Amino acid sequence: MKREPGSIPLARPEPLIRVDDIAYVAFAKPDLERAERFLLDFGLVRAERRDDALYMRGAGPRPFAYVALRGEQARYLGAGFTAAARADLEALARATGAAIEPSDDPGGGERVRLRDPAGFQVDVLHGWQPAEPLPLRRQPLSLNTPFEKPRRNQTQRPERRPAAVWRLGHFVLEATDFAASASWYMRHLGLIPTDVQCLDDGSPNLAFMRCDRGERPADHHTVVVFGGLDDAYGHSAYEVLDLDEVGMGQQVLKAGGWQHVWGIGRHVLGSQIFDYWKDPDGVEMEHYADGDVFDAAQPTAYHDFDPGLLWNWGDDLPADFGPKLDLRSLAGIAGRLLRGKLSLPRLRLLKQSTSQPPRPWLARRKA
Ligand SMILES: [Fe+2]
């Protein structure tokens, strides 16, 4: 029997600290030069290059937003977050036994390096020195509406250049144990669930989580965890100047021959205008603009685990968007079934909860 979303609330542990924001995502890459060619077309800028590391940044004051470390296999390593006080690092160190260590990444400062339940690295930083923001090529476009026409005797013709990325905004993780992973991020980073999506039995299976900044607004989501068939990186998302920058970014990435994934459209949960791309290693990255922000007072909302909630308008959701069922992942699923980390009823529930076509005109594709 179907239970209403919210009938089983997402349990929230007492937070150890409350991080202020996301800082960076980290990847291993076999070919840093090839990675950089994509990232430059994506609109990031080189912050620093070392023998075995490539640091890329947006135009905003963060020293870097993305680091690629040379490694044999392309894979997601983890993410970094900023804490407002050194006492936060001390609290994490006390609770986890992890050391407070100096960081030799651009921006310096100190960090505590943790591991989430899936084994991904989570750094919490303090004393990270901001960088000088890069000059913007233009200001956000001024929009004429039926009621106000602030743009007079002026055209709307932004130049065709890579999207002006301002900052990293969020990342998404797939987790075999949704409850454990979501709980871990809430406890260690103090995240607040903004929107939670539930399976047909009412159990929470996806959480859009934001930073708890008190009265100061935070992005609708900074970390997203959803329950799936693997422990894997989903995508990371980068805020660009405005809506036209999402469109112009797409033109430049198309011209570069890179692999488009999905967009342009507007999300429902978070409201961003989005466009998704894949880097040369198949790593998904999103451009976004005009996302929602909430302060800590906004209560958690519950919804069905419905792929139709992924977008409000825009290009149809590609049939292969989301977790990939290739031979490797099928072998992984079989292994987790055997080890009891995944059950057949849960697999059936996942399938049943996403069985409605996300739009009526996509029903044929499902058949
Ligand atoms: Fe996203």
Side-chain angles (χ1 to χ4, degrees), residues 111-325:
R111 75 176 175 218
V112 171
R113 176 158 287 177
L114 310 172
R115 294 267 163 205
D116 78 4
F120 296 124
Q121 161 187 308
V122 174
D123 295 341
V124 179
L125 289 165
H126 175 254
W128 208 33
Q129 291 307 308
E132 195 59 42
L134 303 177
L136 287 173
R137 297 189 300 265
R138 61 173 176 84
Q139 290 304 303
L141 292 174
S142 130
L143 303 179
N144 285 347
T145 71
F147 314 108
E148 282 183 76
K149 312 281 185 197
R151 201 180 69 251
R152 186 182 304 182
N153 300 333
Q154 279 176 354
T155 63
Q156 197 77 300
R157 294 174 198 157
E159 277 184 79
R160 187 168 300 168
R161 295 198 204 177
V165 170
W166 181 253
R167 60 188 280 272
L168 166 68
H170 65 261
F171 68 92
V172 176
L173 289 179
E174 178 183 1
T176 48
D177 188 339
F178 164 76
S181 282
S183 175
W184 190 93
Y185 278 92
M186 286 187 278
R187 174 158 170 76
H188 291 83
L189 305 180
L191 303 179
I192 302 171
T194 307
D195 281 301
V196 173
Q197 293 185 266
C198 304
L199 299 178
D200 283 0
D201 67 350
S203 62
N205 195 55
L206 186 150
F208 289 91
M209 297 179 283
R210 69 183 185 278
C211 295
D212 182 349
R213 307 170 87 182
E215 291 181 357
R216 287 182 304 133
D219 287 345
H220 170 274
H221 54 277
T222 300
V223 179
V224 180
V225 176
F226 72 95
L229 307 175
D230 200 358
D231 290 302
Y233 163 91
H235 69 261
S236 49
Y238 303 79
E239 184 174 16
V240 300
L241 192 60
D242 59 18
L243 312 187
D244 272 68
E245 215 59 9
V246 178
M248 204 51 82
Q250 187 183 75
Q251 293 293 295
V252 170
L253 287 160
K254 275 184 177 170
W258 304 110
Q259 196 184 341
H260 188 235
V261 179
W262 184 33
I264 293 172
R266 193 184 272 279
H267 283 308
V268 177
L269 305 175
S271 303
Q272 305 93 332
I273 301 275
F274 64 81
D275 194 30
Y276 289 81
W277 289 83
K278 266 187 190 169
D279 85 353
D281 298 304
V283 171
E284 276 182 25
M285 294 175 61
E286 174 188 5
H287 280 146
Y288 77 88
D290 194 32
D292 297 332
V293 294
F294 294 116
D295 60 32
Q298 178 81 5
T300 301
Y302 289 85
H303 317 269
D304 282 322
F305 191 65
D306 171 5
L309 284 178
L310 279 171
W311 82 115
N312 197 339
W313 55 258
D315 272 16
D316 288 340
L317 182 72
D320 60 351
F321 188 80
K324 311 290 175 291
L325 282 179

